[in-house]
Amino acid sequence: MKAPKDYRIGTIGSHSALQIFKGAHDEGFPTTAICRRGKESLYTKYYASLVDKSYVLGSYAEYPTIEKQLVKENTILVPHGSFVAHLGLELNSRIKAMYFGNKSILDWESDRFKQREWMEKAGLRLPRQFSDSEQIDRPVIVKMFGAAGGKGYFFCKDPEDFEEQKSKVAGHEYVIQEYIIGNTVYIHYFYSPLDNSLEIMSIDRRYETNVDSLGRMPLRNQRGMYIEPSFVVIGNSPLVLRESMLQEAYEMGERVVAASKKFAGPKGLFGPFCLETVVTPQLEFYLIEISARIVAGTNLFVEGSPYADLRYDVPMSTGRRIALEIKRAVRQERLEEVLG
Amino acid sequence: MKAPKDYRIGTIGSHSALQIFKGAHDEGFPTTAICRRGKESLYTKYYASLVDKSYVLGSYAEYPTIEKQLVKENTILVPHGSFVAHLGLELNSRIKAMYFGNKSILDWESDRFKQREWMEKAGLRLPRQFSDSEQIDRPVIVKMFGAAGGKGYFFCKDPEDFEEQKSKVAGHEYVIQEYIIGNTVYIHYFYSPLDNSLEIMSIDRRYETNVDSLGRMPLRNQRGMYIEPSFVVIGNSPLVLRESMLQEAYEMGERVVAASKKFAGPKGLFGPFCLETVVTPQLEFYLIEISARIVAGTNLFVEGSPYADLRYDVPMSTGRRIALEIKRAVRQERLEEVLG
Amino acid sequence: MKAPKDYRIGTIGSHSALQIFKGAHDEGFPTTAICRRGKESLYTKYYASLVDKSYVLGSYAEYPTIEKQLVKENTILVPHGSFVAHLGLELNSRIKAMYFGNKSILDWESDRFKQREWMEKAGLRLPRQFSDSEQIDRPVIVKMFGAAGGKGYFFCKDPEDFEEQKSKVAGHEYVIQEYIIGNTVYIHYFYSPLDNSLEIMSIDRRYETNVDSLGRMPLRNQRGMYIEPSFVVIGNSPLVLRESMLQEAYEMGERVVAASKKFAGPKGLFGPFCLETVVTPQLEFYLIEISARIVAGTNLFVEGSPYADLRYDVPMSTGRRIALEIKRAVRQERLEEVLG
């Protein structure tokens, strides 16, 4: 019977790769880093002890040149939040190496219209969307498609304000979304297809430049200065949620998983995912976005989180939880159930 | 001689119950959850491994129907920050089951005038209070009585501003309190009546919707919008305090405990409590409120905190610290000293 | 051969002393606290178990009266962020007891002009400085020399604004520095002279009163109020950095260490240090300041951090990392290499 040591866990050197490698080691898997030249030293030098083997490519487009070797080494690829962004949707869909997670969910995650449909199917509370800027009757946020890490977002108050700023999205697809005034809460889940059970792994809030620095400037100092607000994510801070809201957080996660099974085959969404929410003073969750993979906020919790610690006797990061799921699948000879 | 396994630790399923149950297990106690129908699945499904027995009630008013059973099972109830809010002050005062903490402190905690008297007796620095809105000569915050989790608070600048907003508190009791401009710091203590010693367990800051999201909106976007600020607590973030302020934090805690012994019998305040402070640029602590029980901010520290870790070789949450105190009391045959 | 127990690790009771003592114990060293009367109880009462021996002085100027004893006891002093502020630069330079770190780096840290030169030598991106207030052509922050913990800083928009506020720095030396709009990120490093290798130990953001409370006041409430912004550090919160920026963070640290070797002898900067940065929406790091010793933000990570946990199997605080370096130096008979 095969054991973890007969496989390798691999991913692209970025985003949450260190956590994934650490988790793989904790569960007994050797690791493989796929890096872009110039970006490899984090994995081959500073955290070399976490990386057993590395491939350094001139560009990620060269991925096919190493795939045969990855397959030969029984590498299971773990996609993370910037895995597809780096590899490209097309190349990602043609991966022949073993792949943790459901590849067909990606179309639904990356296309804002499909994602909206998914969220609606799940029956969660969503910000209103405006198909026509003339209809803007409340504060909105305009989001360019494919904007990564919060770049290309802007605030807008009314149709006139949109007119003034619309050059920012000229030539791009975008959505005009109601701006929900409330606190952001990012909930990290893990759905196990082996046990058919959902866990909340951890919760974070993002640290976005420059919007998270604006509050430190008093009114007096902002006056007369024109500061373009931006939402570029550069880090994350830990958070716990009011316990009386936690059951609803679980139920939201379950509905998102259940809805995914309607369009992405019986497997649906599994493994790690994140619901990006805003909570209003009326204690209502608004679902802003679904991330269908491990998110960077989990990097806070390499040695466990307040939620994982309630459930596990060992420090359980999301990276380690992935490796644990693969290990269980290997031992139960159900590996194909966690690959997609 | 009795052991932890001869008792059960029980509480109402809400607020910090998961932490209390985890801590009870860590110290060897079986656990009992008292839940309201529709709110039980967090305890009976998602974290079922932490809950050995559960009672699901149609409403908390049905508590008396299960009390005989709780008593028979040697259940020690641990009140948390929303325990009394759920059960009601009157029903809480008639509890016959074993109860960790001093019940007579509750009147002093729940009545804002009595609490003010307590804080004055302790000799700590307090925000000014205005008995007459005409006297408002600085920014104030108006707090409705019984406002839970920061609902029913509003800012006010002067008597005219109060007049404009006073309909918000019409028909309610309220206090008008100086708004101290500075950073909030919530300090979590544990006072052991067995050892007569005080510990700082952890420190947090709250995450309040919508005030903690306002800073992310630039001046330009707030202008022309009327946003009603609100202070509804939905979570907590970890914090450490400048080490040179820590001794004063300890001394404040000791004074609050000492003052409580003047009015609440020789036992006074014991077990977990929290001082909610604001720290000004002059490094002065202002005491805003006392919470006489475990607060939700401790949920961050299920596996210990920077302060608990200085003192304990095992991960010591406040929930576990409660169970440890009960265990010590059982072993020393001094259980009555921690019950009230 | 000597062992950790043949030495003592000592420091001044303040700043990060608790963490340093805990780390020393974890690595087998007895500890010595040097306290000022009135400030000793944190070390001799509340955390007495971390302190094996304490000296309580009327003022730190009395340090020379205990030095003979410290030397006799083989005490290795560990300077922290307020060690020099308490002892004074002059007295610090004459310490005869063993001293962890390079004393000659202090001049370069404490003198803003020299520190600027150091940062320039390291080739990092720096905020512009204005030698003449007439040249102010963008938002600036004016920093008084020797301002500790963010006191004596103020914002300024243009030459006229400077004129209005300049009385605040009358009679003091100051710098006028471009105010970089972006998020603050404090990166905690440890450079080992024994291994010639650099580690990121942890990352934090500061909690500054009152600027970190301003964002909670809506525009409506700030209007008509004059709030003097201040930057007094009272605590710290944990942070992780976007993984794709981590390699650059390492490279910045290496350049700062390399540059230090050009002016502070072959040893250069070693042990713990911190780079205080601001990250813009263009994902550019601006280096604001170098702290050449352990910073208070590391107090968050008594039991490890997301970064230390990737590297160590035991909880590794910066305080413990210092003790570990000393222990290794003792065992390798290279102690003089970590003393300065």
Side-chain angles (χ1 to χ4, degrees):
Chain A
M1 206 179 72
K2 284 195 171 169
K5 66 173 177 47
D6 300 316
Y7 294 88
R8 309 184 73 86
I9 283 182
T11 194
I12 285 180
S14 185
H15 191 271
S16 50
L18 293 171
Q19 182 200 154
I20 292 168
F21 296 144
K22 171 75 162 63
H25 273 189
D26 287 340
E27 298 296 332
F29 291 93
T31 59
T32 300
I34 303 163
C35 302
R36 196 167 56 192
R37 198 175 323 287
K39 291 291 187 183
E40 78 275 21
S41 67
L42 191 67
Y43 306 95
T44 60
K45 179 183 169 190
Y46 300 112
Y47 295 100
S49 68
L50 296 176
V51 177
D52 301 306
K53 180 155 204 166
S54 59
Y55 294 96
V56 181
L57 307 177
S59 87
Y60 292 121
E62 294 172 15
Y63 166 81
T65 67
I66 61 165
E67 186 160 62
K68 200 178 235 173
Q69 191 61 23
L70 293 175
V71 170
K72 193 176 150 196
E73 293 166 349
N74 274 338
T75 311
I76 299 170
L77 292 177
V78 173
H80 52 54
S82 62
F83 190 96
V84 179
H86 283 318
L87 218 51
L89 208 53
E90 203 271 328
L91 187 49
N92 187 79
S93 69
R94 287 189 291 113
I95 286 178
K96 291 185 203 75
M98 287 182 283
Y99 186 98
F100 178 79
N102 182 350
K103 241 180 275 178
S104 64
I105 214 84
L106 293 177
D107 290 337
W108 290 82
E109 189 203 20
S110 59
D111 179 323
R112 284 196 187 277
F113 295 112
K114 283 189 167 179
Q115 178 163 149
R116 179 87 184 180
E117 193 186 327
W118 180 6
M119 299 195 293
E120 282 169 355
K121 269 189 220 287
L124 302 187
R125 199 178 288 110
L126 307 178
R128 223 186 122 172
Q129 289 199 169
F130 297 90
S131 52
D132 181 348
S133 67
E134 284 305 309
Q135 295 165 352
I136 298 173
D137 61 356
R138 64 195 75 191
V140 297
I141 185 159
V142 180
K143 297 177 175 179
M144 248 167 56
F145 278 34
K151 280 189 224 181
Y153 285 15
F154 66 87
F155 271 119
C156 202
K157 281 186 301 188
D158 49 42
E160 292 68 41
D161 195 12
F162 181 86
E163 283 307 304
E164 275 177 43
Q165 298 189 68
K166 74 178 178 187
S167 63
K168 292 175 191 167
V169 287
H172 295 273
E173 285 197 289
Y174 57 86
V175 291
I176 304 174
Q177 200 170 72
E178 178 183 6
Y179 182 75
I180 305 293
I181 297 173
N183 288 14
T184 52
V185 174
Y186 295 82
I187 309 169
H188 319 146
Y189 299 86
F190 189 92
Y191 177 70
S192 165
L194 300 177
D195 297 342
N196 190 23
S197 76
L198 183 71
E199 301 167 32
I200 288 180
M201 299 304 299
S202 45
I203 301 178
D204 82 301
R205 55 190 290 201
R206 290 185 177 169
Y207 191 45
E208 296 175 349
T209 179
N210 61 17
V211 288
D212 282 314
S213 72
L214 299 181
R216 291 165 53 96
M217 303 191 73
L219 172 59
R220 172 182 181 287
N221 295 77
Q222 287 194 48
R223 197 176 285 147
M225 281 170 62
Y226 181 74
I227 302 171
E228 179 80 31
S230 61
F231 300 84
V232 180
V233 185
I234 59 157
N236 307 269
S237 291
L239 199 65
V240 290
L241 185 65
R242 194 171 168 146
E243 188 161 312
S244 58
M245 302 177 75
L246 207 51
Q247 181 171 316
E248 187 176 352
Y250 268 100
E251 290 163 355
M252 290 193 302
E254 290 187 335
R255 290 164 84 166
V256 165
V257 170
S260 74
K261 293 183 179 177
K262 294 181 191 154
F263 59 77
K267 282 184 177 180
L269 171 68
F270 64 86
F273 66 98
C274 175
L275 298 188
E276 310 181 7
T277 71
V278 171
V279 180
T280 66
Q282 291 71 42
L283 296 179
E284 293 181 322
F285 283 104
Y286 278 81
L287 178 59
I288 306 301
E289 216 170 303
I290 302 171
S291 289
R293 271 146 310 176
I294 184 172
V295 290
T298 62
N299 288 338
L300 285 159
F301 305 106
V302 169
E303 286 289 300
S305 79
Y307 297 102
D309 295 339
L310 289 170
R311 201 180 285 281
Y312 292 96
D313 289 330
V314 295
M316 186 60 65
S317 69
T318 294
R320 183 170 181 178
R321 185 66 188 81
I322 293 169
L324 177 63
E325 191 75 2
I326 296 173
K327 185 167 88 174
R328 286 179 178 167
V330 167
R331 291 197 171 155
Q332 299 173 23
E333 301 190 335
R334 299 168 66 188
L335 187 55
E336 76 291 343
E337 293 179 42
V338 301
L339 304 179
Chain B
M1 206 178 72
K2 284 194 170 170
K5 68 175 177 43
D6 300 317
Y7 294 87
R8 309 184 73 83
I9 284 182
T11 195
I12 285 179
S14 187
H15 191 270
S16 50
L18 293 171
Q19 183 200 154
I20 291 169
F21 296 144
K22 172 73 161 62
H25 273 190
D26 286 341
E27 297 296 333
F29 292 93
T31 59
T32 299
I34 303 165
C35 302
R36 196 167 56 191
R37 198 174 323 289
K39 291 291 187 183
E40 79 275 20
S41 67
L42 191 67
Y43 306 96
T44 59
K45 179 182 169 190
Y46 300 113
Y47 294 100
S49 69
L50 295 176
V51 177
D52 301 306
K53 179 153 204 167
S54 59
Y55 293 97
V56 181
L57 307 178
S59 88
Y60 291 121
E62 294 172 15
Y63 166 80
T65 66
I66 61 164
E67 187 160 63
K68 200 178 235 175
Q69 192 62 21
L70 293 175
V71 171
K72 194 175 149 195
E73 293 166 350
N74 275 337
T75 311
I76 299 170
L77 293 177
V78 173
H80 51 53
S82 63
F83 189 96
V84 179
H86 283 319
L87 218 51
L89 207 55
E90 204 272 328
L91 187 49
N92 188 79
S93 69
R94 287 189 291 115
I95 286 177
K96 291 184 202 78
M98 287 182 283
Y99 187 99
F100 179 78
N102 182 349
K103 240 179 275 177
S104 63
I105 215 84
L106 293 178
D107 290 337
W108 291 82
E109 188 203 21
S110 59
D111 179 323
R112 283 196 187 279
F113 295 112
K114 283 190 166 178
Q115 179 163 148
R116 180 85 185 180
E117 193 186 327
W118 179 7
M119 300 195 293
E120 283 168 355
K121 270 188 219 286
L124 301 186
R125 198 177 289 108
L126 308 179
R128 225 188 119 173
Q129 289 200 168
F130 297 90
S131 52
D132 181 348
S133 66
E134 285 304 310
Q135 295 166 351
I136 299 174
D137 61 356
R138 65 195 75 190
V140 297
I141 184 160
V142 181
K143 297 177 175 179
M144 247 168 56
F145 278 34
K151 280 190 223 179
Y153 285 16
F154 65 88
F155 270 119
C156 200
K157 283 187 299 188
D158 50 41
E160 292 66 42
D161 195 11
F162 181 85
E163 284 306 305
E164 274 177 45
Q165 298 189 70
K166 74 177 177 187
S167 62
K168 293 175 190 167
V169 286
H172 295 274
E173 285 197 288
Y174 56 86
V175 291
I176 303 174
Q177 199 170 73
E178 178 183 6
Y179 182 76
I180 304 293
I181 297 173
N183 289 14
T184 53
V185 174
Y186 294 82
I187 310 169
H188 319 146
Y189 299 86
F190 189 92
Y191 177 70
S192 164
L194 300 178
D195 297 341
N196 190 22
S197 76
L198 184 71
E199 302 167 32
I200 288 178
M201 299 304 299
S202 45
I203 300 179
D204 82 301
R205 55 189 290 202
R206 290 185 176 168
Y207 191 45
E208 296 175 348
T209 179
N210 61 18
V211 288
D212 281 314
S213 71
L214 299 182
R216 292 164 53 96
M217 303 191 73
L219 173 60
R220 171 183 181 288
N221 295 78
Q222 287 193 48
R223 196 177 286 148
M225 280 172 61
Y226 180 73
I227 302 171
E228 179 80 31
S230 61
F231 300 84
V232 180
V233 185
I234 60 157
N236 306 268
S237 290
L239 200 66
V240 289
L241 185 66
R242 194 172 167 145
E243 189 162 310
S244 60
M245 302 178 76
L246 207 51
Q247 182 171 316
E248 186 177 350
Y250 268 100
E251 289 163 354
M252 291 193 301
E254 290 187 335
R255 290 164 84 165
V256 165
V257 170
S260 74
K261 292 184 179 176
K262 294 182 192 154
F263 59 77
K267 284 184 177 179
L269 171 68
F270 65 86
F273 66 99
C274 174
L275 299 188
E276 311 181 8
T277 71
V278 171
V279 179
T280 68
Q282 291 71 41
L283 297 179
E284 294 180 322
F285 284 104
Y286 278 82
L287 178 59
I288 306 301
E289 215 170 302
I290 302 171
S291 289
R293 271 147 308 176
I294 184 173
V295 290
T298 63
N299 288 338
L300 285 159
F301 305 106
V302 169
E303 287 289 299
S305 79
Y307 297 102
D309 295 341
L310 289 171
R311 201 180 285 282
Y312 292 97
D313 288 331
V314 295
M316 186 59 65
S317 69
T318 294
R320 184 171 181 176
R321 185 65 187 82
I322 293 169
L324 178 63
E325 191 75 3
I326 295 173
K327 186 167 86 174
R328 287 179 179 167
V330 167
R331 291 196 171 155
Q332 299 174 22
E333 301 190 335
R334 298 168 66 188
L335 186 56
E336 75 290 345
E337 294 179 42
V338 301
L339 303 179
Chain C
M1 206 179 72
K2 285 195 170 170
K5 67 175 175 45
D6 300 316
Y7 294 88
R8 309 184 73 84
I9 283 183
T11 194
I12 285 180
S14 186
H15 191 269
S16 51
L18 293 171
Q19 182 199 156
I20 291 169
F21 295 144
K22 172 72 161 64
H25 273 189
D26 286 342
E27 297 296 333
F29 291 94
T31 59
T32 299
I34 303 165
C35 302
R36 196 168 56 191
R37 199 174 322 289
K39 290 290 188 184
E40 79 274 22
S41 67
L42 192 67
Y43 306 95
T44 59
K45 178 182 168 190
Y46 299 114
Y47 295 100
S49 68
L50 295 176
V51 178
D52 300 307
K53 180 154 204 165
S54 59
Y55 293 96
V56 181
L57 306 178
S59 87
Y60 292 121
E62 295 172 15
Y63 165 80
T65 66
I66 61 165
E67 187 160 62
K68 199 177 236 174
Q69 192 61 22
L70 293 175
V71 171
K72 193 175 149 197
E73 292 166 351
N74 274 337
T75 311
I76 299 169
L77 293 177
V78 174
H80 52 53
S82 62
F83 189 96
V84 179
H86 283 318
L87 219 50
L89 208 53
E90 203 272 328
L91 188 50
N92 188 79
S93 70
R94 288 190 289 115
I95 286 178
K96 291 184 204 76
M98 288 183 281
Y99 187 100
F100 178 79
N102 183 349
K103 242 180 275 177
S104 64
I105 214 84
L106 294 178
D107 290 338
W108 290 82
E109 189 203 20
S110 59
D111 179 322
R112 283 195 186 279
F113 294 112
K114 284 190 165 178
Q115 180 163 147
R116 179 85 184 180
E117 194 186 327
W118 180 6
M119 299 195 295
E120 282 169 355
K121 270 189 219 286
L124 302 186
R125 200 178 287 108
L126 307 179
R128 225 188 118 174
Q129 289 198 168
F130 297 91
S131 53
D132 181 347
S133 67
E134 284 306 310
Q135 296 165 351
I136 299 173
D137 61 357
R138 64 195 75 190
V140 297
I141 185 159
V142 181
K143 297 177 176 180
M144 247 167 58
F145 277 33
K151 280 188 225 181
Y153 286 15
F154 65 88
F155 270 118
C156 202
K157 281 186 300 187
D158 50 40
E160 293 67 41
D161 195 10
F162 181 85
E163 284 305 305
E164 275 178 43
Q165 298 189 69
K166 74 177 176 187
S167 62
K168 292 175 191 167
V169 288
H172 294 275
E173 284 198 290
Y174 57 85
V175 291
I176 303 174
Q177 199 170 72
E178 178 183 7
Y179 182 76
I180 304 293
I181 297 173
N183 288 15
T184 52
V185 174
Y186 295 82
I187 309 169
H188 319 147
Y189 299 86
F190 189 93
Y191 177 69
S192 164
L194 299 178
D195 297 343
N196 190 22
S197 77
L198 183 71
E199 302 167 31
I200 288 181
M201 300 302 300
S202 44
I203 300 178
D204 82 301
R205 55 189 290 202
R206 290 185 176 169
Y207 191 44
E208 295 176 348
T209 179
N210 61 18
V211 288
D212 281 315
S213 72
L214 299 181
R216 291 165 54 95
M217 302 192 73
L219 173 58
R220 173 184 179 288
N221 295 79
Q222 286 193 48
R223 196 177 285 146
M225 279 171 64
Y226 180 73
I227 302 171
E228 179 80 32
S230 61
F231 301 84
V232 180
V233 185
I234 59 157
N236 306 269
S237 291
L239 200 66
V240 290
L241 185 66
R242 194 172 168 146
E243 189 161 311
S244 59
M245 303 177 75
L246 207 51
Q247 181 172 316
E248 187 177 350
Y250 268 100
E251 290 163 355
M252 291 192 301
E254 289 187 336
R255 291 164 83 167
V256 166
V257 169
S260 75
K261 293 184 180 176
K262 293 181 192 154
F263 58 77
K267 283 184 176 180
L269 171 68
F270 65 86
F273 66 99
C274 175
L275 298 188
E276 310 181 8
T277 70
V278 171
V279 179
T280 67
Q282 291 71 41
L283 296 179
E284 293 180 323
F285 283 104
Y286 279 81
L287 178 60
I288 307 300
E289 215 170 302
I290 302 171
S291 288
R293 272 147 307 177
I294 184 172
V295 290
T298 62
N299 289 337
L300 285 159
F301 305 106
V302 169
E303 287 288 301
S305 79
Y307 297 103
D309 296 340
L310 289 170
R311 200 179 287 281
Y312 292 97
D313 288 331
V314 295
M316 186 58 67
S317 69
T318 294
R320 183 170 182 176
R321 185 65 188 80
I322 293 169
L324 178 63
E325 191 75 2
I326 296 174
K327 185 166 88 174
R328 287 178 177 167
V330 167
R331 291 198 170 154
Q332 300 174 22
E333 301 191 335
R334 299 168 66 189
L335 187 55
E336 75 291 344
E337 293 179 42
V338 301
L339 304 179

